[in-house]
Amino acid sequence: MSAPKAPAPHGKFLIVETGQPVKSLKRHGRFPHWIRVAAGLEAAEADVVNVEFGEPLPSHRKYAGVIVTGSAAMVTDRAEWSERSADWLRDAAHDGMSLLGICYGHQLLAHALGGEVRDNPTGRESGTVRIELHPHAGDDPLFSVLPGRFLAHATHVQTVARPPEGATVLAKSEQDDCHAFRWRDRAWGVQFHPEFATHHMRGYVHARAEHLRSEGRCPNSIAREVTAAPQARKLLRRFVRHARGLHGR
């Protein structure tokens, strides 16, 4: 029997699990697995806490950084587990922890820091979308390496309608004016899914087909237009490197 791998000496990451993939994609694992693989983290380099199922959150101070997953839940429902997680995120952000919220995590972080989340008046955003960076993203530690326009995968119906006070909005899409923000200098939210590969995105389009049809959109056309989004995927590894560089300072 081989000895277990020791955790990386340069700091582990905490993945806060807020939801489960759609049924058709569960054979590919859960969100933390998708994120860990895209971020280049070994299993021993990340702990997972499933807050949706009531697991308690540990002290953030033992980690180099925290990544919050997406979810089918709605931040505006103010579920007990979600509000408890928001309180934890608020404390971690004010304590200078490196944070990255994805989709639901993006909205939850904005809510935790005093922003406003609500239904997107433009409807559901789904598929491979074009992200446009604002000029000041060129000075951002994560986004400065990305081109001014790049493709990303998105699936959501709610949006950050008002970013938290002190936040810098970094990116937008045709349907969403706040696709990414940074709060102070160590907390980021991204509405798009940097962890998604094309099969994840197509799976979500097909799973949400009836919702898309009800809004007058063609899921088959959206699925055909799904394409690779390598620039967006780079963001996770960039966050890991940046958070580790700050860890212990």
Side-chain angles (χ1 to χ4, degrees), residues 40 47 49 67 99-100 105 126 131 156 159 161 186 210-211 226:
D47 291 337
V49 171
I67 303 172
L99 303 171
L100 176 65
S126 182
I131 303 297
H156 63 109
T159 182
R186 296 195 183 188
E210 289 305 313
H211 296 288
V226 169

Side-chain angles (χ1 to χ4, degrees), residues 3-9 12 44-45:
K5 291 182 178 179
K12 295 179 72 173
E45 296 178 293

Side-chain angles (χ1 to χ4, degrees), residues 35-97:
I35 289 169
R36 187 175 58 75
V37 170
L41 293 168
E42 298 292 337
E45 296 178 293
D47 291 337
V48 177
V49 171
N50 190 328
V51 292
E52 184 191 28
F53 288 177
E55 293 181 1
L57 284 156
S59 170
H60 61 269
R61 294 180 180 176
K62 62 190 286 190
Y63 296 99
V66 177
I67 303 172
V68 188
T69 75
S71 177
M74 300 294 171
V75 169
T76 53
D77 286 344
R78 306 289 179 90
E80 185 280 330
W81 63 264
S82 184
E83 291 295 282
R84 175 170 51 86
S85 301
D87 291 342
W88 186 93
L89 283 172
R90 184 184 309 112
D91 290 343
H94 280 282
D95 202 30
M97 170 56 59

Side-chain angles (χ1 to χ4, degrees), residues 117-164:
V117 176
R118 62 170 180 254
D119 288 352
N120 192 332
T122 68
R124 181 181 298 272
E125 186 174 45
S126 182
T128 306
V129 301
R130 188 169 299 277
I131 303 297
E132 181 176 348
L133 295 182
H134 294 299
H136 46 255
D139 298 323
D140 184 79
L142 303 189
F143 284 85
S144 61
V145 299
L146 299 178
R149 292 181 178 84
F150 61 92
L151 298 177
H153 301 309
T155 174
H156 63 109
V157 294
Q158 295 205 316
T159 182
V160 175
R162 179 175 53 80

Side-chain angles (χ1 to χ4, degrees), residues 189-240:
V190 293
Q191 185 60 70
F192 58 89
H193 284 271
E195 81 280 18
F196 273 23
T198 53
H199 62 278
H200 298 134
M201 189 67 258
R202 289 193 186 99
Y204 264 87
V205 172
H206 291 310
R208 304 294 188 234
E210 289 305 313
H211 296 288
L212 290 165
R213 290 191 188 99
S214 72
E215 295 181 5
R217 304 182 66 194
C218 176
N220 292 333
S221 296
I222 295 171
R224 282 195 299 269
E225 292 171 2
V226 169
T227 189
Q231 298 294 341
R233 197 170 176 88
K234 287 179 181 179
L235 195 75
L236 279 165
R237 294 188 183 228
R238 180 75 174 175
F239 173 74
V240 166

